[in-house]
Amino acid sequence: MRSQMSRAAVSIPSNIAEGSARESDQEFKRYLEIALGSAFELETQLLLAVRVGYLDETHMGTVLTSLHQNQSGINALIQKLKK
């Protein structure tokens, strides 16, 4: 589970960076959508880790708030590129 969470966490900024280097907004949007998917995957993994007792809930609110802000920011960029 740790490995999967690490891959998802690394995938988010990596896809944003790779997409920003693409030649069209459509391609960039596609990479942003992949990054958003990875962000939701990470959220799911974090929630599952708490549920099965691998992580303590103590700081989870702060982590999820930050992750939700990132998800919202990525989604705002996607919406902007759709126009």
Side-chain angles (χ1 to χ4, degrees):
M1 190 174 249
R2 174 193 258 174
S3 174
Q4 194 167 355
M5 287 191 297
S6 292
R7 285 193 307 271
V10 167
S11 176
I12 299 166
S14 296
N15 276 293
I16 293 169
E18 186 172 351
S20 70
R22 296 298 170 161
E23 293 188 21
S24 72
D25 285 350
Q26 187 66 23
E27 286 181 286
F28 185 27
K29 184 175 80 65
R30 181 174 170 272
Y31 279 86
L32 289 172
E33 289 167 344
I34 294 168
L36 185 59
S38 294
F40 280 106
E41 178 184 353
L42 178 58
E43 179 180 7
T44 301
Q45 294 297 324
L46 288 167
L47 293 171
L48 286 171
V50 169
R51 184 169 288 171
V52 298
Y54 293 157
L55 289 177
D56 187 351
E57 279 188 70
T58 308
H59 302 292
M60 193 55 66
T62 304
V63 171
L64 288 177
T65 296
S66 177
L67 187 55
H68 290 157
Q69 289 172 341
N70 284 310
Q71 290 166 338
S72 293
I74 295 167
N75 194 46
L77 281 171
I78 291 169
Q79 296 309 313
K80 197 171 215 177
L81 291 171
K82 283 184 178 180
K83 295 179 181 181

